[in-house]
Amino acid sequence: MGYYPRLRDLREDQDLTQRQIAAYLGIPQPQYCRYERGIRDIPTDLLIALADLYHTSTDYILGRTNNPAPPQR
């Protein structure tokens, strides 16, 4: 499974639109849509920004773990 379904699920769980996420990331909405659909790989800096926004880990977004809790610092 690619990470892109998790991007959509996390966004929808927060009742956010693609346009809102794109604005948060400072990118055009069609570009974010391509990440969410798995057409393009998401850059590391945007992945980290989304993990911070959703209070989760990059590993969760990437599907490397099923634990949505971020690591303890």
Side-chain angles (χ1 to χ4, degrees):
M1 175 180 111
Y3 61 85
Y4 46 91
R6 285 216 169 142
L7 289 177
R8 184 191 66 242
D9 291 343
L10 286 165
R11 177 180 58 77
E12 290 177 348
D13 288 348
Q14 298 293 318
D15 294 322
L16 297 169
T17 65
Q18 286 186 353
R19 188 174 306 270
Q20 290 171 310
I21 298 301
Y24 172 79
L25 297 173
I27 61 173
Q29 181 273 329
Q31 183 176 344
Y32 177 77
C33 181
R34 289 182 197 102
Y35 300 144
E36 203 171 274
R37 292 178 59 204
I39 295 170
R40 302 224 30 208
D41 286 334
I42 190 165
T44 304
D45 60 329
L46 299 183
L47 176 66
I48 292 168
L50 289 173
D52 290 345
L53 174 67
Y54 296 130
H55 305 288
T56 191
S57 68
T58 56
D59 280 348
Y60 178 74
I61 293 173
L62 293 172
R64 294 175 43 97
T65 182
N66 288 323
N67 181 3
Q72 297 298 316
R73 295 183 181 192

